[in-house]
Amino acid sequence: MADLYASVRYLKGIGEARAKQLAALGIETVYDLIAYFPRTYEDRTRLVPISELQVDEPACFRAMVTSHPQTHHIRKGLDLTKISVTDESARLRLTFFNQKYAADNLEYGKEYYFYGTLTGDYSGYGMTNPVFEDVEKPGVLTRRIMPIYSLTAGLNNNFVARSVAQALALCGDSLPELLPLALRRQYGLCDTAFAYANIHQPSSFEALEQARNRLIFEEFFVFSLGLGLMRGRRAQKGRQPFANLDLAPFRAALPFTLTGAQERALADICRDLGSGRVMNRMLQGDVGSGKTAVAAAAAYLAAKNGVQTALMAPTEILAEQHAKSLAQLLAPLRVSVSLLTGSMSAPKKREAREAIASHRADLVVGTHALISESTAFANLGLVVADEQHRFGVAQRAALAEKGENPHLLVMSATPIPRTLALILYGDLDISVMDELPPGRQTIDTFLVGETMRARINAFIRKQVAEGHQCYIVCPAIEEGESESLRSAEAWAETLQSTVFPDLRVALLHGRMKGPEKEAVMARFARHEADILVSTTVIEVGVDVPNATLMIIENADRFGLSQLHQLRGRVGRGKDKSYCVLFTDNRNPETLQRLKALCKTNDGFEISRQDLALRGPGDFFGTRQSGLPAFKVGSLQMDLQTLQNAQSAAAEFLASQELSLRAEYAPLMDRIRTLFADRELALN
Ligand code: ADP
Ligand code: MG
């Protein structure tokens, strides 16, 4: 038995140079080596008669040497050794380049196992530099499932395989078992030693499958436990329970009746706020499901219980809109609302900050940057983050640090399946709003090509003539950003000057200054413009109920969920609304993706399809996703295992064995290491 965490240099054949190369792969200790799993496998178990070897297909065969090696010195640095081998089916010529020493080991008249790739040209078939092994000795490079590792310059696969084998032989027995026996029994999982041995040197494909299963489960289990622990720790943080949970005045002031889904979410929230522990809740609801009203109710309760609320919006436009509509709703209830955005004038900002610091403001609406960085609250008790599927675990953890353990409510308009929600938001409790306010009509969605341009323009005219407004979303801001993409600036100009000279066309994009954007949005909201040509800055949250038509140019450039978000900008009032997706893309997959959007208005269904089509990485955007990179498990392929691991983790946490039993120390260590890598503190 040897130390798992000893340097790899402890192993035979690994000196300073090799150790450096391994370090480039992130391998420093013997354990790192053992935890460096193959990227794929080559089946060398099947023996093929020489006559059945296929060109360019590597294969194993058994053959007898039927000639003495002949070495030719071609030129300096190039030796060529030839030798013939035969089995019952055929003869084959082998060529070794600069491997005289190897070829010399082949004895005339003896049998060997070979592994190599058949090549063929006008001069006949042959094989170059096959590996071979004595028939008497156990197979290392032949007759087995060969692990193939990701490599870096200077390292070859055999070296890594051999080093791993050595590490396993030395330390395989000291690998800690992370999964309790009962759990392994329940889910039919093999033990650690078997799993590591067979992920590297599978004795059969069944054994490999068992090993993979176990390691995938372990990976998901450890991650889920970590998130669960984080949730638990945060929930342990105490807060004076809100004494006043009376929402009657709030309900009376609302211009509508809350939906059942809103009521259920609010009940969850009230339970949290009255519990004496800190709330950590994700509110998930489709576009237009009315999350703002729920947030407003929570802010109302916070104010009535003497603490301040910070509502953080992803864009200034949205912050301004929220501030305005929330002030309208809450001011009569004597809850004062302040706005704080980067583009406000210095005196206005100072005024807002003073109101916040002196607790004259009960609810502060602003962009993330402003609120999370430099703003001092008199008594912050609730943080609401809006539309944040782009919000990672670490950012949430940072938020929770603000103020004295404020309650946290995160609102997301990207409905995702529960399993994935648990991966992304496993540190939060989740409320789902799966119901839209009554009277919402479905938005008729059409997929069209350029040939329909004139008819769609006529349709815009008709909507405007009926007193409605229209959004046109372009993927680019300026002309020339990309050859084939419609740009908002140029298109707005064209529409105004030639297509709709008699209508009022406005332009909005992300490079405009804050006050400019604000002015444009305000004008559109006041119906002083008929058509708003925009980039995706209007993707989230913007609420102009009179807008009934959403047109999206180069629709193939957007993800399904993003298109669904954009479409959600219309259909917010009582009038029939429409969405038109322009594309001239002929790719059948792309068209299938876009047609999915025409068939349904259900965000959950759309995200399910989007996920299936693009995979979680693309779906969330790789960088911003906060999605962990799993080593063996795949969020796409191994959903069932993920579900099992999640429920196992939940049960395990509920049984509270983790903190009590010394035998779980390795498991805790693994969790800590995992979350330390993510720059998250677990304590
Ligand atoms: P989202 O969940 O996308 O943020 P909003 O909160 O912006 O949705 O609400 C969308 C629209 O629905 C708003 O105009 C809001 O006033 C309205 N609304 C919210 N709740 C209800 C309800 N229970 N009944 C009717 N209209 C509602
Ligand atoms: Mg919203």
Side-chain angles (χ1 to χ4, degrees):
M1 283 239 276
D3 181 7
L4 260 180
Y5 300 100
S7 157
V8 283
R9 296 196 51 179
Y10 179 79
L11 298 175
K12 260 191 267 161
I14 302 186
E16 194 172 335
R18 290 297 197 199
K20 254 205 187 123
Q21 289 165 331
L22 286 172
L25 295 173
I27 300 170
E28 290 180 354
T29 66
V30 175
Y31 173 78
D32 293 340
L33 200 50
I34 293 177
Y36 193 69
F37 298 146
R39 142 180 91 74
T40 181
Y41 302 84
E42 250 175 45
D43 183 4
R44 300 186 184 178
T45 55
R46 214 166 62 86
L47 291 180
V48 179
I50 290 179
S51 63
E52 286 175 27
L53 290 172
Q54 301 290 318
V55 171
D56 290 339
E57 275 181 27
C60 253
F61 58 98
R62 177 177 171 144
M64 183 196 284
V65 175
T66 52
S67 76
H68 291 287
Q70 284 192 311
T71 298
H72 305 276
H73 186 67
I74 306 291
R75 57 178 155 80
K76 191 166 187 284
L78 182 60
D79 283 332
L80 202 152
T81 308
K82 295 199 166 185
I83 201 162
S84 289
V85 298
T86 309
D87 69 2
E88 279 158 9
S89 72
R91 215 179 80 131
L92 183 66
R93 199 178 43 178
L94 308 181
T95 308
F96 294 87
F97 284 102
N98 291 341
Q99 293 200 3
K100 183 175 181 314
Y101 66 94
D104 281 347
N105 283 329
L106 289 167
E107 266 181 60
Y108 183 89
K110 264 190 77 171
E111 280 195 299
Y112 297 88
Y113 287 105
F114 294 89
Y115 174 80
T117 307
L118 189 70
T119 52
D121 56 23
Y122 63 92
S123 63
Y125 295 109
M127 187 175 282
T128 305
N129 291 352
V131 295
F132 57 89
E133 285 173 333
D134 217 306
V135 288
E136 311 295 335
K137 294 195 182 140
V140 177
L141 299 173
T142 65
R143 289 161 286 159
R144 58 177 284 212
I145 302 166
M146 186 71 193
I148 307 295
Y149 296 91
S150 301
L151 300 170
T152 176
L155 286 178
N156 72 41
N157 194 59
N158 288 347
F159 167 78
V160 176
R162 256 186 290 123
S163 306
V164 170
Q166 203 190 143
L168 275 171
L170 276 170
C171 297
D173 295 340
S174 37
L175 284 165
E177 175 57 78
L178 301 189
L179 302 182
L181 183 61
L183 199 71
R184 274 183 283 138
R185 288 226 173 101
Q186 187 181 350
Y187 292 97
L189 304 169
C190 66
D191 64 31
T192 293
F194 182 93
Y196 280 92
N198 281 281
I199 198 82
H200 288 293
Q201 303 156 359
S203 58
S204 67
F205 281 103
E206 294 77 67
L208 174 58
E209 203 43 44
Q210 277 183 297
R212 268 182 46 88
N213 262 344
R214 139 88 207 212
L215 291 167
I216 292 170
F217 185 98
E218 175 180 311
E219 191 168 39
F220 288 152
F221 179 72
V222 167
F223 185 76
S224 303
L225 267 187
L227 287 177
L229 281 174
M230 279 178 65
R231 185 170 61 224
R233 302 250 161 118
R234 265 195 239 157
Q236 279 167 19
K237 289 187 182 165
R239 258 206 93 87
Q240 178 86 18
F242 283 11
N244 175 1
L245 293 172
D246 178 17
L247 280 169
F250 176 83
R251 285 202 180 82
L254 267 184
F256 44 72
T257 314
L258 292 171
T259 64
Q262 283 170 320
E263 287 289 2
R264 283 189 293 278
L266 260 180
D268 290 341
I269 290 169
C270 285
R271 206 174 336 100
D272 292 345
L273 298 177
S275 71
R277 284 186 307 264
V278 171
M279 169 168 77
N280 283 288
R281 189 164 289 281
M282 152 68 59
L283 179 58
Q284 231 190 57
D286 206 345
V287 186
S289 59
K291 293 181 289 295
T292 318
V294 174
Y300 168 81
L301 289 178
K304 294 305 157 193
N305 288 275
V307 295
Q308 292 170 292
T309 298
L311 194 155
M312 317 202 315
T315 66
E316 295 206 344
I317 295 180
L318 201 54
E320 281 145 18
Q321 239 185 46
H322 276 326
K324 206 173 124 217
S325 61
L326 288 171
Q328 249 172 32
L329 173 66
L330 294 174
L333 297 166
R334 285 189 308 285
V335 174
S336 66
V337 180
S338 284
L339 174 68
L340 182 62
T341 68
S343 58
M344 282 166 41
S345 67
K348 285 230 144 131
K349 261 189 257 185
R350 198 177 326 117
E351 194 184 313
R353 288 217 156 92
E354 273 165 19
I356 296 164
S358 66
H359 205 155
R360 266 183 290 120
D362 296 309
L363 168 60
V364 183
V365 185
T367 45
H368 293 128
L370 272 186
I371 291 188
S372 51
E373 276 159 25
S374 51
T375 303
F377 286 80
N379 188 1
L380 181 62
L382 170 65
V383 172
V384 182
D386 190 17
E387 308 283 357
Q388 279 308 308
H389 58 267
R390 300 174 180 82
F391 225 43
V393 180
Q395 285 156 299
R396 289 197 288 278
L399 250 186
E401 299 303 304
K402 239 194 130 54
E404 291 288 309
N405 290 333
H407 293 295
L408 178 61
L409 181 65
V410 181
M411 304 198 289
S412 167
T414 308
I416 53 174
R418 182 165 174 78
T419 21
L420 280 180
L422 281 175
I423 283 284
L424 271 180
Y425 312 123
D427 56 327
L428 304 174
D429 298 311
I430 300 177
S431 299
V432 173
M433 299 208 302
D434 51 3
E435 181 185 347
L436 295 180
R440 260 326 138 65
Q441 302 172 34
T442 56
I443 302 160
D444 289 349
T445 304
F446 306 95
L447 182 60
V448 303
E450 209 49 44
T451 51
M452 290 287 284
R453 182 63 70 183
R455 286 180 64 181
I456 298 299
N457 283 345
F459 188 58
I460 296 176
R461 201 169 267 293
K462 182 159 168 279
Q463 287 295 309
V464 172
E466 286 171 12
H468 295 306
Q469 290 161 282
C470 167
Y471 294 103
I472 300 177
V473 174
C474 301
I477 297 179
E478 285 168 15
E479 195 78 335
E481 268 174 60
S482 164
E483 289 291 316
S484 54
L485 295 188
R486 178 111 35 217
S487 86
E489 267 181 9
W491 191 230
E493 169 63 34
T494 307
L495 289 177
Q496 182 70 88
S497 60
T498 61
V499 188
F500 303 117
D502 51 328
L503 304 184
R504 298 163 301 174
V505 179
L507 170 68
L508 182 74
H509 61 71
R511 239 177 267 154
M512 287 163 61
K513 291 225 159 54
E516 215 182 331
K517 276 193 280 197
E518 180 189 349
V520 172
M521 252 344 278
R523 251 184 351 133
F524 190 68
R526 287 196 304 266
H527 200 167
E528 290 167 17
D530 305 302
I531 299 171
L532 180 63
V533 181
S534 162
T535 56
T536 53
V537 288
I538 59 153
E539 178 186 344
V540 285
V542 168
D543 191 24
V544 178
N546 190 46
T548 51
L549 177 56
M550 165 63 68
I551 293 176
I552 301 169
E553 303 287 341
N554 304 107
D556 50 285
R557 303 302 296 234
F558 304 96
L560 276 190
S561 293
Q562 196 178 12
L563 290 170
H564 179 62
Q565 286 293 323
L566 287 168
R567 175 169 65 177
R569 298 310 110 217
V570 299
R572 302 178 82 83
K574 52 194 180 319
D575 303 297
K576 180 73 192 161
S577 296
Y578 307 88
C579 176
V580 177
L581 309 172
F582 265 104
T583 183
D584 275 329
N585 193 309
R586 288 278 150 261
N587 181 321
E589 269 174 45
T590 308
L591 294 178
Q592 186 205 342
R593 207 160 59 82
L594 293 174
K595 275 181 193 147
L597 207 70
C598 301
K599 284 190 206 122
T600 180
N601 274 263
D602 178 347
F604 280 90
E605 175 58 23
I606 287 163
S607 72
R608 204 183 55 73
Q609 298 209 17
D610 207 5
L611 270 165
L613 287 166
R614 293 197 296 160
D618 283 346
F619 177 84
F620 294 107
T622 24
R623 283 264 148 186
Q624 310 168 308
S625 69
L627 270 184
F630 291 107
K631 257 171 54 177
V632 248
S634 145
L635 291 179
Q636 246 168 314
M637 315 281 291
D638 306 309
L639 267 184
Q640 184 56 53
T641 310
L642 175 59
Q643 267 166 28
N644 289 345
Q646 284 173 339
S647 45
E651 274 174 41
F652 196 66
L653 280 175
S655 72
Q656 292 206 331
E657 285 186 276
L658 209 53
S659 53
L660 306 176
R661 308 253 296 261
E663 66 184 276
Y664 298 132
L667 182 54
M668 273 313 293
D669 282 348
R670 179 68 66 81
I671 295 171
R672 273 197 207 94
T673 317
L674 181 71
F675 281 80
D677 285 351
R678 288 170 214 292
E679 295 168 26
L680 286 176
L682 244 185
N683 30 42

